[in-house]
Amino acid sequence: MLRRHLGLRTVKTGLAVALALFFVTLRGSPAPIFAGIGAIVAMSRTLKDAVRACLTQLAGITCGVGIACLFLAVFPDFKFFLVGVGIILVILCCNALKLDFAVPLSCIVFVSVCMMDPESDYLLYGVNRLLDTSVGLVTALAVNVGIKPYNNRARISNMLTHIQQLFPGYLDTRVLRRQYPDLGALHQKLRTLDSELSVFEKQPPPSLSHRRAQREARRDDAAYLRGCQQLLSKMTDELSALCNMDSSPPPSPENCARLAALGLSIPENVYEAGKCEEADVTVLNFHLKNLLDAYGFLSDLNQPV
């Protein structure tokens, strides 16, 4: 049976939508769904991202409402194909203002205003949709601020350890068994790690008290984690260099001893050179030593906190 982790961000999204719907219902909105949509699109992992999402969406829906009202003023008896033309204008306007993220919601608001009851006041209707969506955006921002912010520190530490633990297997395949491992999964994990680190670096201190000291501690911790990531990147570069060799020269006795210390079983024929140049032996052991040095440095750095 599959087990799904119920993350805090999921709970916060549900709470933000429920509160947003409650608030717009109090003001008697006939279309509370826009508040729910606004709460969903504004829920981000960090406060900085949430603020940016709110401002971007607010500008985008203002653009959508404005163009819709302009369309209805110019084409009161519009045909449906004109809605398609209007969508194009909304997208172009959002792109020009660098509001690409807000395009879907802007288009939804535009169509909603255009398809309103012909007997209604389109300007009032558009303003109300803008208000409804703004309630959702502000509610999501308040929930993000008021409830424990996203903290991926433990996730990053676990990823560092997991990725490091992959290297003995890669070295066993490439150096000892003289085969070529697929490094695609390793590169993908490093990209994910870089993304998580970027999120961590944008997170504010956990509390407002002693803000300066906590900000400095967060900056130092982020620098430490980046250093660990750079060691992993160096190890990956050295491993890639080993995999780019078109021969499989033997490792030196010193490097074999270090591989054995990692728990690898050294084959009896490991020192058989096979078809390779003397320079190939030097190159392999150079990159292997660099990789093992970085592995050792990372083992010293990446200790549980």
Side-chain angles (χ1 to χ4, degrees), residues 265-272:
S265 178
I266 309 300
E268 294 181 358
N269 63 344
V270 69
Y271 298 120
E272 295 180 4

Side-chain angles (χ1 to χ4, degrees), residues 16-18 20-25 27-41 105 108-109 112 125 128-137:
V17 171
L21 294 176
F22 172 73
F23 291 144
V24 295
T25 301
R27 65 178 293 267
S29 172
I33 187 174
F34 287 95
I37 294 174
I40 292 171
V41 299
L105 185 54
I108 291 173
V109 172
S112 173
Y125 182 88
N128 276 317
R129 297 298 74 74
L130 178 61
L131 290 175
D132 290 340
T133 311
S134 299
V135 168
L137 296 173

Side-chain angles (χ1 to χ4, degrees), residues 31-49:
I33 187 174
F34 287 95
I37 294 174
I40 292 171
V41 299
M43 185 59 63
S44 301
R45 291 194 293 180
T46 68
L47 178 59
K48 182 177 180 180
D49 287 342

Side-chain angles (χ1 to χ4, degrees), residues 74-298:
V74 177
F75 307 106
D77 299 320
F78 74 95
K79 302 297 182 181
F80 287 111
F81 76 89
L82 287 176
V83 175
V85 176
I87 288 293
I88 294 174
L89 291 178
V90 171
I91 295 174
L92 290 176
C93 181
C94 288
N95 289 340
L97 297 174
K98 297 182 179 180
L99 302 173
D100 297 5
F101 180 65
V103 167
L105 185 54
S106 302
C107 291
I108 291 173
V109 172
F110 171 83
V111 174
S112 173
V113 175
C114 287
M115 300 304 295
M116 58 168 277
D117 184 349
E119 302 299 324
S120 302
D121 183 342
Y122 62 82
L123 183 58
L124 179 62
Y125 182 88
V127 171
N128 276 317
R129 297 298 74 74
L130 178 61
L131 290 175
D132 290 340
T133 311
S134 299
V135 168
L137 296 173
V138 173
T139 302
L141 181 60
V143 169
N144 247 344
V145 173
I147 298 180
K148 182 180 178 181
Y150 177 76
N151 187 353
N152 59 345
R153 176 62 173 80
R155 173 176 170 81
I156 291 173
S157 182
N158 291 336
M159 290 179 67
L160 288 168
T161 301
H162 170 69
I163 296 174
Q164 182 183 8
Q165 290 173 346
L166 296 175
F167 278 87
Y170 284 126
L171 291 176
D172 180 60
T173 300
R174 179 64 191 102
V175 178
L176 300 181
R177 289 191 282 154
R178 299 177 181 179
Q179 299 173 0
Y180 290 85
D182 182 2
L183 303 183
L186 174 61
H187 289 295
Q188 178 59 48
K189 291 179 186 295
L190 286 172
R191 287 191 291 269
T192 302
L193 174 61
D194 181 70
S195 175
E196 291 291 335
L197 280 168
S198 296
V199 170
F200 181 79
E201 290 166 340
K202 292 187 291 185
Q203 292 172 6
S207 68
L208 295 178
S209 61
H210 307 293
R211 191 70 178 263
R212 180 176 180 180
Q214 291 185 353
R215 185 164 51 244
E216 291 176 352
R218 168 82 62 162
R219 185 167 54 248
D220 292 343
D221 197 24
Y224 154 73
L225 293 172
R226 277 294 179 188
C228 292
Q229 180 216 20
Q230 290 169 3
L231 284 171
L232 281 177
S233 297
K234 177 177 176 57
M235 291 160 58
T236 302
D237 291 341
E238 300 295 348
L239 180 61
S240 297
L242 294 175
C243 292
N244 286 333
M245 297 182 66
D246 55 8
S247 62
S248 298
S252 66
E254 293 79 9
N255 282 332
C256 279
R258 298 179 71 179
L259 292 173
L262 296 180
L264 300 182
S265 178
I266 309 300
E268 294 181 358
N269 63 344
V270 69
Y271 298 120
E272 295 180 4
K275 294 182 179 180
C276 66
E277 302 290 336
E278 183 63 29
D280 293 341
V281 178
T282 302
V283 170
L284 178 135
N285 282 286
F286 171 78
H287 291 297
L288 180 55
K289 179 181 182 302
N290 289 341
L291 193 159
L292 292 172
D293 286 344
Y295 187 97
F297 293 149
L298 183 57

